[in-house]
Amino acid sequence: MARIFIDLLAAGVWEADEVTWRKPFADVLTALSPGADDKDVPETPLNYLSSMIAVGLAVLSQGTQLDGGSPEDVLWQGTWNRLRRWVPQALTEVVDEYLYVPTQSYARVSDRESVESLIELARNAETDPNAETRAVLESLGLPAELREGVWTLDAPSGVPRKIAAQLATKVGDPCAVIVVGPERACAILRADRTLIMAESQPAKWHVMTLPSSVSTPTSLLAGPDGLPSSRRMVDLDSPTQEIIAVAEKLGVDFAHVTQAVHYWRLT
């Protein structure tokens, strides 16, 4: 059934704006995975099964985002989370058997590069719980590094506050972020709805509360109206116990964060 679906998608049966194929295709791919009673699946069948799952996921991912919120994004994310444990067993030579060269107007096919990227992501996720976050950030042009619990990024251009807000939004709650630009740095500490930001100029901590569950660091810090008037400001070198407590909750080196903001560097 999965192979038939892949064939039909490659044949362009569904037009460009149709999405009705996504849910049944996701269901078929999910049904491929071995169940709790399927123990000790032989290696060769597992390689073929995993390779078909990898190709199917690559096709299903087209037009979606790993961190998006559309129905198609949510369907893809759920299917990926259920099936990613099987993807590392996929083999390139088997994957090739399920790939097509598009010849029809509405053909939906994957290429080897896309499938290999998913295989690599699944393998990285086995040992790195932040692999998917890294993939999302890289896709957005935000190649941040996680250093001792803090997502750090050198930004040769742009406004550090805006970039830091975007980074904190994508990493999610909880998080600690530092973005260093050519003339200033910005740090964000987020725990639940408490958001604390520090900048080099002026050297202040800004303590804020996200107004609702759908608010984000981007909506709070990078909007056209500037920073919220309700924020509390504290000198960078005189943090309150509330600020220190948030840093401790995040498990980050508070002195390192302060130093990075002061001196515009990450080391």
Side-chain angles (χ1 to χ4, degrees), residues 121-178:
L121 177 58
R123 289 173 178 169
N124 290 340
E126 288 185 313
T127 56
D128 180 5
N130 296 299
E132 293 177 13
T133 300
R134 295 179 199 278
V136 169
L137 295 178
E138 289 179 2
S139 71
L140 296 171
L142 299 171
E145 297 182 17
L146 186 60
R147 304 179 183 178
E148 300 180 351
V150 182
W151 290 93
T152 60
L153 178 66
D154 280 307
S157 61
V159 180
R161 183 198 300 174
K162 182 177 180 180
I163 298 172
Q166 185 180 11
L167 189 57
T169 298
K170 293 302 179 181
V171 172
D173 175 41
C175 71
V177 165
I178 297 174

Side-chain angles (χ1 to χ4, degrees), residues 189-231:
L189 306 178
R190 178 186 181 185
D192 299 321
R193 289 174 62 182
T194 299
L195 191 72
I196 302 172
M197 182 200 71
E199 291 183 303
S200 316
Q201 300 174 1
K204 300 281 187 180
W205 290 103
H206 303 262
V207 183
M208 295 158 276
T209 301
L210 291 166
S212 72
S213 59
V214 297
S215 301
T216 67
T218 297
S219 65
L220 192 67
L221 302 177
D225 299 328
L227 296 177
S229 58
S230 59
R231 72 188 187 281

